[in-house]
Amino acid sequence: MDKNAEEVLKSQLPRYFKPIIEFQEIMKAHGSGLGRIDKESAHLQANLYISTCDEPTIAYYEKLFDITYHFGDSLEFRRERVIQKFKTITPFSIGFLEAKLRELYGEDGYVLKEDPEACTLNIKIMSDRYGAVNLLYDLLWDIVPAHIKIMANQQTTNFVPGRLYAAGEVSRTLVQTIYQYTVEDIAGEIDTAGGMSKTVIKTI
């Protein structure tokens, strides 16, 4: 850091020069320069390796390998894709393919079935890592011969922990007995007649 470099330089001054303001400012300027050198050296060292390089450096490698960057691809995913290109070895073999699948998805992260007579490969990925299918197809297009038919898919299972609570309360119970009555219709006839002679309404 700049402050540490400045303190180290000031501590190395002879006692006669330490109180002099001009020398303190000189050490401050040199300390700042040394601090920037340390940062740039660390940055340069990180860019010497693909696993720690920054975005401009990984973009340079992607251009060399003709890799298309997609929006949302993380820097870690892009590094992994470039490293995969460097580690591609031909000629193709099932053992090499299985080794690469184990490296990418783990021992139980994939299922591989091959049919030598029909020249087909059936690959199922159970890994939920980001870009798992893209990494798979980048690998297959680079190492699998053109006459082999590839059937690949991704199947992931996610478990979301949770609890379901249910409760009930009985405040009153009503027991009601319903009876059934039988009603029979009996045919019959009745004549009704009436008459009114006169009605007078008076207001008093």
Side-chain angles (χ1 to χ4, degrees):
M1 298 296 291
D2 299 354
K3 192 65 176 177
N4 292 337
E6 178 185 345
E7 292 174 355
V8 170
L9 291 176
K10 286 183 178 180
S11 66
Q12 294 175 350
L13 282 173
R15 285 185 298 173
Y16 176 80
F17 294 99
K18 287 182 179 180
I20 302 175
I21 297 178
E22 287 80 359
F23 279 96
Q24 294 178 8
E25 294 299 320
I26 291 173
M27 295 301 101
K28 185 183 297 184
H30 286 305
S32 176
L34 290 175
R36 286 198 300 270
I37 291 175
D38 290 340
K39 292 178 182 178
E40 293 298 328
S41 299
H43 187 210
L44 179 61
Q45 182 179 9
N47 281 328
L48 292 176
Y49 305 95
I50 297 175
S51 58
T52 56
C53 68
D54 57 9
E55 196 278 335
T57 305
I58 204 66
Y60 167 76
Y61 284 111
E62 288 175 337
K63 184 177 180 181
L64 290 178
F65 286 109
D66 197 22
I67 298 175
T68 302
Y69 164 74
H70 299 285
F71 179 77
D73 289 349
S74 64
L75 183 59
E76 184 63 32
F77 173 73
R78 296 168 67 182
R79 291 169 179 165
E80 183 70 26
R81 190 164 50 186
V82 170
I83 291 175
Q84 180 175 282
K85 292 287 186 181
F86 271 108
K87 297 170 69 175
T88 299
I89 302 174
T90 54
F92 169 76
S93 68
I94 295 296
F96 173 71
L97 176 59
E98 289 184 333
K100 294 297 294 182
L101 292 175
R102 282 195 300 269
E103 181 182 330
L104 289 174
Y105 308 112
E107 191 71 33
D108 301 323
Y110 72 96
V111 174
L112 172 63
K113 296 180 181 178
E114 66 275 1
D115 187 344
E117 295 182 359
C119 291
T120 59
L121 287 175
N122 195 316
I123 306 173
K124 181 169 65 175
I125 302 300
M126 281 85 74
S127 173
D128 59 351
R129 66 172 294 180
Y130 176 81
V133 175
N134 292 335
L135 284 174
L136 173 64
Y137 277 103
D138 285 343
L139 171 66
L140 297 179
W141 298 152
D142 288 338
I143 67 173
V144 177
H147 69 282
I148 296 180
K149 182 179 180 180
I150 302 171
M151 292 168 287
N153 59 72
Q154 181 182 23
Q155 176 182 333
T156 59
T157 303
N158 295 323
F159 296 96
V160 180
R163 293 183 179 181
L164 175 64
Y165 298 93
E169 180 182 357
V170 178
S171 60
R172 184 177 179 184
T173 304
L174 173 64
V175 179
Q176 183 178 3
T177 304
I178 302 175
Y179 296 94
Q180 180 180 2
Y181 294 93
T182 302
V183 179
E184 295 182 358
D185 295 331
I186 302 175
E189 293 182 0
I190 184 171
D191 296 328
T192 304
M196 181 178 297
S197 60
K198 187 178 181 182
T199 300
V200 178
I201 300 177
K202 291 183 179 181
T203 301
I204 303 174

